[in-house]
Amino acid sequence: MTSSAHPTPQASNDIDDPSGRAADVAGPAPARRGRPPKTQAAAAVSGTRETILDAAEDLFSKHGFYGVTIREVAREAGVDTALIHYYFGAKRGLFDAVFLRRAEVWNNDRVNAINLYAETHGDDMTLEGLFEAFLRPPFEWSAKGGPGWKHYSALVAQTNANPAFGGETMARYFDPAILRLITLIRQVMPEAREQDVYWAYHNLSGALTLTLGETGRLDRLSGGLCRSGDLESACDYMVRFAAAGFRAVCAAPAPTPASTST
């Protein structure tokens, strides 16, 4: 019969190959077992870290640093607490990693924007132009970047008002970008006293983080006329507010100590 005259390739290989090895026609070798490729392992690690950071960011933004435990973050992320400790150490290490992740984006976008504005306008820079370049990126990220960016904005608002570690945290992650802005402001206002510029920014900082927090306070105060979630309008108003505020503060005469009467 024809079938008996022509054995299958596998049978032929087993008989004819003196080495006893199957020829290539036998098909590809089975996949190796063991560790996954490095790129696949790195992607898995990165994905797990991001899942943990997202969960922590959400919880920290709602309950603050002291109101969240590692166990709660692990439960939200669907991982073991040991994995969080492995990646981030203690809770403060996790908090810092959450804070840094998006701070780098904010800072890069803001510094690039004001540097570009300075390069293209030179001596024609205005306060309005500087503040438009500096303030627009965080408002746009919060408006269009998805829930994570809203969580982050709320977290920054909480941290900026935290007397325990807010000052140190804000300084560590945001001061380089802010100092670059102040350098350019002083070019626009060369006669301004240095302390006036810092006080003016201090007031802007509070207004900025409160507004990005979208607390709903504005909605209630205005009876619904204004919406704290209208971040495009919020940025437009803040640019004007900041420019007028800096002019008022930096042009005002130095306050004199109150006299005491006897």
Side-chain angles (χ1 to χ4, degrees), residues 68-256:
V68 176
T69 67
I70 290 289
R71 188 176 299 277
E72 289 170 333
V73 174
R75 185 185 309 119
E76 184 74 13
V79 301
D80 192 88
T81 56
L83 197 59
I84 297 179
H85 288 297
Y86 174 77
Y87 285 136
F88 305 104
K91 184 170 72 168
R92 183 56 197 265
L94 174 61
F95 181 87
D96 287 341
V98 168
F99 218 86
L100 175 63
R101 179 173 60 158
R102 299 190 199 272
E104 290 181 327
V105 179
W106 268 12
N107 288 337
N108 290 339
D109 284 1
R110 294 192 294 181
V111 171
N112 289 340
I114 58 177
N115 283 343
L116 178 61
Y117 176 76
E119 291 169 7
T120 55
H121 289 76
D123 294 338
D124 296 326
M125 286 191 300
T126 65
L127 290 176
E128 284 82 0
L130 275 176
F131 289 129
E132 170 65 30
F134 188 77
L135 295 173
R136 189 65 63 177
F139 278 99
E140 288 191 340
W141 275 114
S142 192
K144 304 173 184 178
W149 280 98
K150 290 193 178 295
H151 296 158
Y152 185 71
S153 294
L155 178 60
V156 171
Q158 284 188 25
T159 304
N160 200 24
N162 188 309
F165 59 83
E168 178 271 331
T169 302
M170 296 294 289
R172 190 189 337 160
Y173 294 114
F174 294 125
D175 274 8
I178 294 166
L179 290 172
R180 176 57 180 156
L181 171 67
I182 288 175
T183 296
L184 294 176
I185 290 173
R186 290 181 63 77
Q187 291 182 25
V188 176
M189 310 180 76
E191 303 302 320
R193 297 192 314 159
E194 189 173 9
Q195 59 266 45
D196 290 341
V197 174
Y198 284 113
W199 272 112
Y201 185 81
H202 178 70
N203 285 287
L204 171 59
S205 175
L208 173 61
T209 57
L210 174 65
T211 302
L212 287 171
E214 297 183 55
T215 64
R217 167 68 173 145
L218 176 64
D219 309 58
R220 295 176 178 83
L221 182 65
S222 67
L225 181 63
C226 308
R227 295 184 299 106
S228 59
D230 181 5
L231 295 181
E232 183 174 356
S233 295
C235 186
D236 292 341
Y237 277 106
M238 188 156 294
V239 168
R240 291 154 49 194
F241 174 82
F246 267 76
R247 290 193 183 98
V249 170
C250 296
T256 56

